[in-house]
Amino acid sequence: MNRLGRFADSRWLGWLAAFGLFLLSRPFPGVHHDGRLYVGDALAKLDPGGVGRDLIFVHDGQFGFSLYTPLLARLIAVLGVSGATLAIVLVTLALWFAALALLIERLLADRPPAERWVALVFAAILPPLYGAMNVIGFGEPYATPRGLAEAAGLLGMAAYLSGRRVLALGACALGMLFHPIMGLCAAAAIGLAICLEDRRWFWAGLAALGVLVVAGLFRLPLADRMVTVMDPAWRVIVETRSPILFPSQWSAETWGRTAVQACTLAAAASLLTGPARRLALGGLAAGLAGVAAAALLADHVSLLLFLQAQTWRTLQPMAVLATIGLALVCIEAPRKGAPGLIGLALLSIAWMVRGISDLGLLIAPVGLAFLLLGDRVRLSRPRLYGAIAVGALVVALVGYGALRSYALREALARLPDAWPFSQGLVWASDLPALLIAGGLSLWMAKAWKAPGRSLQLAGLLVVGLSATLLWDDRSAYIRQRDAGRDPTLASMMASRPGEVLWLAGDVEPWIVAGRASWISKVQSAGVVFSRPLAMALHDRVARVEAAGLAGPDWIRPLLMDALKPPPPGPEKVRAFCAASDAPAWIVSPLWDGEGALDPGLKARVWSPAAPYAEDLSDASGRRWMTAYRYAVIPCRGG
């Protein structure tokens, strides 16, 4: 047998194909999401007299707890922003996937390799979101430490399943060096699994919690936050900016998705045995307990530590295990007769409608009941009910696929010329995951033979080429922005040192101008960790709104669509810039098709290397707007 034949018969072919699908499901958007914060902090460390003077870094309340940004700063110094973020995201995703594969090998060790591979693909491609408002997911393609901490947590869970408890908790501790909160999430799941083995560990955990409470009462560092109540003025700002921290503000869709994931994991736990079952139950218990703690101690009582620890993030291990669990349910449920088919149909439909009001919350528990009761459900005509369940599932799959296809077609048609295609939009439609998961489920249900070597190798080639061509999902503008400082803009601004108010964008002051940002939406992401930051940003947002330079979406980015910034007016700009702490410059987009700004602003014109485009709302509705040029307006001292 030649090398190619041996490779086709090895597990590596399947793992590489699954990794390719994993990359396709997580296209690289550049400096995006929370990655903006960590890239900004890395730049602040490299340029303390410039970017480092930004309020979010002056009043830092979170970055000092992680080794991530010092590492990222060194990479940026060598590779630049674009190269460093691309490299660290790719490495993070590779480590995350490897840890996931190891976890599944241990979790489903008693299952055939084909079933383990199906579970790996499910976990790689299914929607990764958890928590509120479609903000946070697992295995994200962003330059954040969450991915590294999650990978360490997955490794820890695999070590627990191998009987190595110390190594399991040590891996979580390693993750905490990069992201303390996410490292604790996996530790909570493993810890509760250990408690299910021996209840003495549960009492030991309660005793340790009591020690922490006493330490808090004695006002020891960090522990004092456990008994400190966030003051009302600070809480109002945090609640406005980050409602995801407060379960009382979570939508019905959030609770529906959480119920679907919880019910799926509960169903899967019933199909597992030994340590695997205990880990599944530990992950389920940790997720639900974290949400309960967030609702009671953070939301209701406003205890500072629990608001900052964001205990609802323990939903992350539950969400990962739920995707693996869904594969297991899809494999096992058809073997359990009509009750299994009914349960599978209901649970699958719940996954499809998880984002529609509270339908997931209503349907998933019923599906779970059928799966748990199994043969104890007495059906008068089991074959008929089983056929009805299969028919309903097929109709749901076709209908959901048709709706998502239409939505995707409309979304792609709306894209501007400046960004003609987005792999992120394609995968966010659920269509690829629906087709792949449905096809694999049918393959397992029919017990079809694996494709021949040639077809497997061709499939790997197609997936590999697709991932190579489509993974980098940055627009031309983002590529140019992430390339670093623009010398033309820097020269234009050289006459006035100081902060920049950039009216459409987010990290441009840090990356393109090499300046501190006077105010932006991204800065307010850390208001829960620093009261001085929250108060300062709240004041500045009020001032830019009063000056007619921004809308209410600047302090409510999770609750409102992005609004088109109003065109600057000379009188309001002069009044705004008269303040002693006003920004040195205001950078405003000159939208394509709109008139020039008032000459009284004395604006200079800067043209980026590629046009900027953003999906914005105004009086005429929501639409993509493009700016080929920017007005650079002198402010303080002008």
Side-chain angles (χ1 to χ4, degrees), residues 209 213 225-228 245 290 293-294 296-299 302-312 528:
L209 182 61
V213 172
R225 302 186 189 188
M226 183 174 285
V227 294
T228 300
L245 306 181
L296 176 62
L297 301 175
D299 195 345
S302 292
L303 292 179
L304 183 59
L305 180 64
F306 291 92
L307 279 165
Q308 295 178 336
Q310 303 172 41
T311 57
W312 57 270
V528 70

Side-chain angles (χ1 to χ4, degrees), residues 230-240 246 248 298-300 302:
M230 179 177 282
D231 66 82
W234 186 7
R235 171 168 172 140
V236 167
I237 297 171
V238 174
E239 200 166 356
T240 301
F246 303 90
S248 63
D299 195 345
H300 184 67
S302 292

Side-chain angles (χ1 to χ4, degrees), residues 281-610:
L281 293 175
L284 178 61
L288 299 180
V291 172
L296 176 62
L297 301 175
D299 195 345
H300 184 67
V301 185
S302 292
L303 292 179
L304 183 59
L305 180 64
F306 291 92
L307 279 165
Q308 295 178 336
Q310 303 172 41
T311 57
W312 57 270
R313 289 186 187 243
T314 53
L315 289 171
Q316 181 266 328
M318 187 182 88
V320 175
L321 292 171
T323 59
I324 302 171
L326 182 60
L328 188 58
V329 170
C330 288
I331 292 168
E332 285 293 328
R335 302 169 182 171
K336 296 183 177 296
L341 290 173
I342 295 171
L344 173 61
L346 289 171
L347 199 59
S348 299
I349 292 171
W351 272 86
M352 286 183 257
V353 301
R354 67 194 183 281
I356 304 175
S357 188
D358 55 0
L359 288 180
L361 184 61
L362 299 174
I363 298 173
V366 182
L368 174 63
F370 273 96
L371 291 168
L372 293 181
L373 293 174
D375 294 337
R376 286 172 286 181
V377 178
R378 300 299 178 184
L379 300 173
S380 58
R381 304 179 67 181
R383 288 189 177 180
L384 175 62
Y385 290 124
I388 291 173
V390 172
L393 179 56
V394 171
V395 170
L397 286 169
V398 173
Y400 183 71
L403 289 173
R404 299 307 296 171
S405 296
Y406 175 78
L408 175 60
R409 186 185 68 182
E410 293 295 305
L412 291 175
R414 290 183 63 247
L415 286 175
D417 293 338
W419 192 17
F421 177 78
S422 170
Q423 169 66 7
L425 278 180
V426 173
W427 210 277
S429 71
D430 279 2
L431 275 177
L434 183 71
L435 292 172
I436 295 170
L440 290 177
S441 298
L442 183 62
W443 173 49
M444 297 303 296
K446 294 294 186 180
W448 289 332
K449 292 183 179 180
R453 290 179 184 171
S454 298
L455 193 56
Q456 290 183 40
L457 289 170
L460 176 61
L461 181 62
V462 169
V463 171
L465 286 175
S466 299
T468 302
L469 295 173
L470 299 175
W471 182 68
D472 190 343
D473 199 34
R474 293 176 293 177
S475 67
Y477 173 83
I478 297 298
R479 290 172 187 268
Q480 292 296 326
R481 183 201 67 183
D482 292 355
R485 297 188 185 184
D486 185 286
T488 303
L489 181 64
S491 175
M492 196 177 291
M493 292 182 168
S495 60
R496 295 171 186 267
E499 298 163 298
V500 174
L501 172 58
W502 201 288
L503 296 181
D506 40 44
V507 294
E508 282 82 353
W510 302 337
I511 298 179
V512 180
R515 304 277 190 112
S517 176
W518 195 79
I519 184 66
S520 69
K521 295 179 184 179
V522 68
Q523 286 172 308
S524 58
V527 292
V528 70
F529 297 107
S530 171
R531 190 182 192 280
L533 175 66
M535 296 301 158
L537 294 182
H538 181 70
D539 172 69
R540 290 191 172 186
V541 167
R543 289 163 61 184
V544 294
E545 282 193 51
L549 297 173
D553 59 312
W554 277 50
I555 197 61
R556 297 176 178 85
L558 300 182
L559 296 174
M560 300 180 65
D561 289 337
L563 301 177
K564 176 190 172 187
E571 292 185 6
K572 287 191 173 182
V573 166
R574 278 195 290 269
F576 172 77
C577 293
S580 60
D581 65 339
W585 298 94
I586 299 173
V587 180
S588 178
L590 298 173
W591 299 116
D592 188 35
E594 296 190 355
L597 296 180
D598 191 301
L601 293 169
K602 301 177 182 178
R604 307 173 187 180
V605 175
W606 169 68
S607 298

Side-chain angles (χ1 to χ4, degrees), residues 601-622:
L601 293 169
K602 301 177 182 178
R604 307 173 187 180
V605 175
W606 169 68
S607 298
Y612 172 79
E614 187 174 2
D615 196 8
L616 298 170
S617 296
D618 60 9
S620 62
R622 186 170 178 176

